[in-house]
Amino acid sequence: MPSKPLLLLTDPAHFEVSYTINPWMQPGIWAEDPAAHLAAARRSFRALAAALGAAGARLEIMSGVAGLPDMVFPANAAVVLDRMALVARFRHPERQGEEGHFRDHFRALMGRGLLDEVAQVPPTCFQEGAGDCIWDATRGRFWAGYGQRSTRQAAAEVAAFFGQEATALELVSPRFYHLDVCFCPLSGGEILYYPPAFSAASLAAIRDIVAPEDLIEATEEDAARFNVNAVNIDDRLVMASASPRLVARLAERGYHVAEVDLLPFMMSGGGAYCMSLRLDRRSTAAGALRRVAG
Ligand code: ARG
């Protein structure tokens, strides 16, 4: 029996929307009633934690830091695979202060025996963690987004560090600025994705590697509701409130969807996936093999 997935979350005590680094962020709306928005964010966080627990995850919750509100999105902090963490380099100065705090936390996790190695992406490129570099357990490869936040070269850096293949995918829309808001590999081998977020060449690369029956197209509405930004554990999906149509399409494929009201975090441009970072992923094909056997 494999052990339960371990997810890192950041307590939202210091969350706010105080700057704009993506088109979803409107500090003016947050400033109208910060106390009410923060209270809603805390409720939303508790609901997310409960849904992830119910989906079968163990949670590791770290503290945030005042003045670094986007630490609530630990998916951007590192790429983690095979007990190795590669700490991010953020493009925007507003988030660069997070790097040191996350590095310290990953070193503490190493001290607790949860990781074996902690390194950082070289200063020659930007790379925004698992938000822009997603492990595809079915195909045993990374998919790496670039063009908005991470740089193209980052795919090669991640590939070299982990000794795995990484396919670079160019993101062309500022609204879908991280790969995890428009691309989500599922446990059964399907990929839920939003095609308009990608360049023509990147769409061709996806369609070259993934069989047509495994591609599930999200609509503009699904993407704007951050439903592609979902956490998948076996046949469970945890995501922001979705349309009944999407829930039904996923149910046809055998997935149970747990919906959480994540509006306070969507005000910052994030959903369920980027609010968590999976710490226990292994590159072995065990997951895929289990599915075939079952
Ligand atoms: N406000 C954050 C930013 O713009 C949101 C990050 C959401 N993370 C994600 N992986 N999509 O960086």
Side-chain angles (χ1 to χ4, degrees):
M1 191 63 190
S3 63
K4 289 181 160 194
L6 178 62
L7 298 178
L8 176 67
L9 268 58
T10 306
D11 180 276
H14 299 292
F15 177 62
E16 60 183 349
V17 181
S18 53
Y19 50 75
T20 304
I21 57 171
N22 71 54
W24 309 93
M25 299 176 85
Q26 295 182 41
I29 297 183
W30 186 274
E32 283 167 12
D33 197 346
H37 288 307
L38 181 58
R42 287 179 185 275
R43 283 194 298 275
S44 184
F45 180 85
R46 281 196 296 272
L48 176 65
L52 293 171
R58 289 172 296 147
L59 305 180
E60 155 87 19
I61 301 181
M62 68 182 277
S63 306
V65 174
L68 296 172
D70 281 340
M71 279 184 78
V72 297
F73 302 111
N76 298 130
V79 181
V80 182
L81 185 73
D82 291 334
R83 296 172 55 90
M84 300 189 284
L86 186 62
V87 178
R89 296 247 179 223
F90 287 96
R91 176 174 293 272
H92 295 292
E94 288 87 341
R95 295 200 67 179
Q96 286 166 357
E98 298 177 29
E99 293 168 17
H101 294 289
F102 278 114
R103 204 166 45 227
D104 291 347
H105 193 78
F106 292 122
R107 289 199 181 127
L109 292 176
M110 200 162 77
R112 285 167 48 200
L114 291 168
L115 295 173
D116 294 329
E117 192 180 340
V118 178
Q120 189 167 12
V121 171
T124 47
C125 60
F126 298 116
Q127 201 292 319
E128 298 203 350
D132 254 345
C133 189
I134 303 179
W135 179 251
D136 180 339
T138 305
R139 297 170 189 83
R141 66 191 305 135
F142 284 111
W143 297 93
Y146 73 93
Q148 301 293 322
R149 296 291 182 85
S150 303
T151 35
R152 192 178 202 291
Q153 173 63 16
E157 297 291 349
V158 173
F161 180 74
F162 292 99
Q164 303 287 344
E165 207 171 327
T167 301
L169 298 175
E170 187 181 9
L171 304 175
V172 295
S173 162
R175 294 177 76 216
F176 304 105
Y177 57 92
H178 278 144
L179 184 63
D180 68 359
V181 295
C182 50
F183 189 91
C184 182
L186 304 180
S187 59
E190 304 92 338
I191 299 213
L192 175 64
Y193 78 133
Y194 180 59
F198 297 91
S199 68
S202 296
L203 282 178
I206 294 170
R207 290 168 182 163
D208 209 35
I209 294 170
V210 183
E213 63 272 20
D214 281 338
L215 288 170
I216 307 176
E217 288 197 12
T219 64
E220 148 96 64
E221 185 201 356
D222 300 331
R225 293 171 78 154
F226 289 87
N227 295 141
V228 182
N229 195 257
V231 177
N232 175 217
I233 299 172
D234 300 325
D235 62 348
R236 308 267 148 185
L237 280 164
V238 177
M239 63 173 65
S241 310
S243 74
R245 184 167 170 270
L246 178 63
V247 174
R249 285 173 71 206
L250 291 165
E252 276 166 28
R253 304 266 189 158
Y255 295 99
H256 304 273
V257 176
E259 297 171 64
V260 181
D261 175 3
L262 294 177
L263 283 173
F265 298 102
M266 287 158 64
M267 289 174 70
S268 189
Y273 178 92
C274 45
M275 292 181 69
S276 61
L277 176 64
R278 181 97 184 244
L279 297 175
D280 64 314
R281 277 230 187 267
R282 293 291 193 155
S283 59
T284 58
L289 289 177
R290 248 194 333 273
R291 166 106 189 171
V292 171

